[in-house]
Amino acid sequence: MTQEPLGQDTGAPLPEWAPPEIDRTKAHPARIYDYLLGGKDNFDVDRDAAEVALAAMPELRAMARANRAFLGRAVRHLAESGITQFLDIGTGIPGPGNTGEIARAVQPGARVVYVDYDPIVSAHSRALLSAADPALSAVVQADVREPKTILDSGAVQSVLDFEQPIAVLMVAVLHFVSEAEDAHSIARYFIDAVAPGSALVVSHASEGHEAGKFGAAREGWNNATSQLVLRDRSEIGRFFEGTELLDPGVVIIPAWRPDREPSAEDLALDYGHAGVGIKR
Ligand SMILES: C[S@@+](CC[C@H](N)C(=O)[O-])C[C@H]1O[C@@H](n2cnc3c(N)ncnc32)[C@H](O)[C@@H]1O
């Protein structure tokens, strides 16, 4: 189901479906990302934040697209490897090529739970799923920093079978969790909770070849609900402790099992790393 876009922030009432707790005074990562991807579900405050970031780092749009494409490749690969359950944490506003769509193109009975702390994302995800089989998908509005709450939620417990492998997706979300908030323990909590054969999929922002560029772009997030934390390849690699990394390991995002030979331009998008690990 396609929803009426939020449109311009003219102070007009929100569309009927929009949850009342939507905050139009602070930029939200999901809405900034939506704007970068060319979506319409964002407000002035999000667009302003994105434009500040884009002024410092024009590659940000291409990075957002490269990240979405990685998500698609990873989900497709895992579905082709036989995984039929997906816990997508930090889902983002679902668009074409969302996790369920990609997984079910390969595994028609795939079960997917979408988790995000942003009410806009939950509203969109619920609308998208309204026609879907409730036994196969669910939406949970929750914070990745509270992994126990996520795993104990009725929706997660009723849709996912923890005796069978589950792909835990934390794609472009862990960089919103600081060291003080124990980002690495959070990833480990999910790995410890799932059965052998399960997968962890992570992509994460990093300092790229032009040092300081992402740092400057990050100013755009300064007033957003979550700040962006950059981590280097080895820090991102540590998220996979307790798993065995699939080839090619933790690499820059466009280089993870690309569908075609990456161009020099693709390879210059080195402002983030990604990997997929399997729990043995
Ligand atoms: C950059 S988007 C990534 C969306 C999607 N995973 C993708 O890669 O295309 C980040 C998402 O993480 C969500 N997010 C940020 N911090 C979060 C938190 N603490 N708990 C849950 N979701 C969070 C945002 O609301 C946003 O939807």
Side-chain angles (χ1 to χ4, degrees), residues 77-78 81 83 165-167 191 194-201 240-246 275-280:
H77 172 78
L78 293 171
S81 312
I83 292 194
I166 297 172
I191 294 165
V194 292
S198 293
L200 175 70
V201 179
F240 294 96
E241 277 173 12
T243 74
E244 202 172 287
L245 278 165
L246 293 182
V276 177
I278 304 293
K279 178 172 174 175
R280 300 292 180 198

Side-chain angles (χ1 to χ4, degrees), residues 28-34 37 64 67-71 88-93 99 115-119 121 141-146 150 169-177 181 203 221 225-226 228:
H28 280 225
R31 298 178 337 213
I32 295 175
Y33 187 64
D34 175 70
L37 286 172
N67 180 66
R68 256 290 152 92
F70 159 72
L71 171 71
D88 184 356
I89 306 171
T91 311
I93 295 171
T99 299
V115 181
D116 203 290
Y117 74 164
D118 191 324
V121 174
Q141 190 177 323
D143 195 310
V144 67
R145 293 166 292 191
E146 293 170 13
I150 294 174
L169 314 181
M170 290 199 271
V171 180
V173 66
L174 285 169
H175 49 222
F176 295 114
V177 183
E181 293 167 326
S203 71
W221 272 268
T225 51
S226 296
L228 193 71

Side-chain angles (χ1 to χ4, degrees), residues 55-97:
M57 193 176 172
E59 300 92 331
L60 214 46
R61 281 186 206 283
M63 279 297 306
R65 284 196 298 270
N67 180 66
R68 256 290 152 92
F70 159 72
L71 171 71
R73 296 195 300 279
V75 169
R76 196 180 65 222
H77 172 78
L78 293 171
E80 284 170 354
S81 312
I83 292 194
T84 59
Q85 306 192 94
F86 295 81
L87 178 57
D88 184 356
I89 306 171
T91 311
I93 295 171

